[in-house]
Amino acid sequence: MKKLLIASILTITAGAWAQTVTVKVEGAWVRGTVATQKATGAFMRLTPSAKVRLVSVSSAAAGVAEIHEMSMENDVMKMRQIDGLDLNAGKATELKPGGFHIMLMDLKAPLKGGDSVPMTLTFEDAAKKTFTQDLTVSVTALGKGKAPNAMKPDMKSETKSDMKSEMKPEMEHKQ
Ligand SMILES: [Cu+2]
């Protein structure tokens, strides 16, 4: 009986330890917008110390923030909202133009180069416990995407096509 009790205390302690997960955020940037633009993308590299899932994002600069995936479907770039993004322990997951990204919609004001955007990322650990991480992400002026992967040969008119595709989901989401 006593042995059992000790065992369960040990289990609880181990569980508490396992929840101390940190997520390293590197190279975060938000694409700047023009006056009439109501949506843009946020990009970064996330490396968690243990397996976690990015489950939601919020930002005071945007009415709505979603986790999106962009992919080619029948030669057409499409993006869609996903309900979460699994991140593996010690492995960097890139959120970048043309791939996974954070979509900021219903922007409160245009975002100029040099501005900074507050953002809160919510993660869920292996025990389904959520924790948040606050970020301040700087805005990169429109057309100056600094992520090396942004310059794919098929994305020469990057700014234009991105703007178009990023405006589209906004309309789709507001039904
Ligand atoms: Cu998007």
Side-chain angles (χ1 to χ4, degrees):
M1 189 60 184
K2 202 177 179 190
K3 227 179 196 173
L4 250 178
L5 189 66
I6 291 170
S8 61
I9 289 170
L10 280 174
T11 309
I12 291 164
T13 312
W17 264 110
Q19 279 152 21
T20 318
V21 181
T22 55
V23 181
K24 189 163 76 175
V25 179
E26 296 169 293
W29 62 286
V30 171
R31 191 190 299 280
T33 62
V34 293
T36 53
Q37 200 181 339
K38 284 290 182 193
T40 191
F43 313 95
M44 62 196 68
R45 194 161 50 249
L46 299 172
T47 312
S49 61
K51 188 176 161 63
V52 294
R53 184 172 171 82
L54 174 64
V55 290
S56 68
V57 182
S58 66
S59 172
V64 180
E66 294 177 346
I67 306 161
H68 277 197
E69 177 184 41
M70 201 178 252
S71 60
M72 286 295 267
E73 275 173 40
N74 303 321
D75 288 337
V76 181
M77 264 290 203
K78 283 200 173 165
M79 66 167 131
R80 63 185 185 96
Q81 185 185 7
I82 52 175
D83 58 7
L85 178 59
D86 287 321
L87 307 172
N88 290 317
K91 215 183 144 210
T93 297
E94 294 266 3
L95 278 69
K96 62 187 182 200
F100 296 115
H101 56 278
I102 290 164
M103 198 79 199
L104 301 175
M105 293 176 287
D106 196 10
L107 293 173
K108 307 279 164 74
L111 302 173
K112 296 180 292 294
D115 285 356
S116 55
V117 175
M119 218 175 278
T120 301
L121 307 184
T122 302
F123 298 98
E124 189 180 87
D125 69 12
K128 300 271 176 200
K129 204 180 163 170
T130 56
F131 62 97
T132 59
Q133 193 154 325
D134 292 327
L135 306 177
T136 303
V137 183
S138 58
V139 174
T140 299
L142 190 67
K144 287 187 185 165
K146 66 179 177 182
N149 290 324
M151 296 300 172
K152 284 182 194 154
D154 59 348
M155 290 184 78
K156 261 179 234 146
S157 57
E158 194 206 356
T159 306
K160 245 195 208 160
S161 61
D162 259 18
M163 268 180 58
K164 237 190 264 165
S165 54
E166 283 174 7
M167 298 289 283
K168 214 174 127 208
E170 189 199 13
M171 292 187 279
E172 282 171 2
H173 290 136
K174 273 189 196 158
Q175 292 168 14

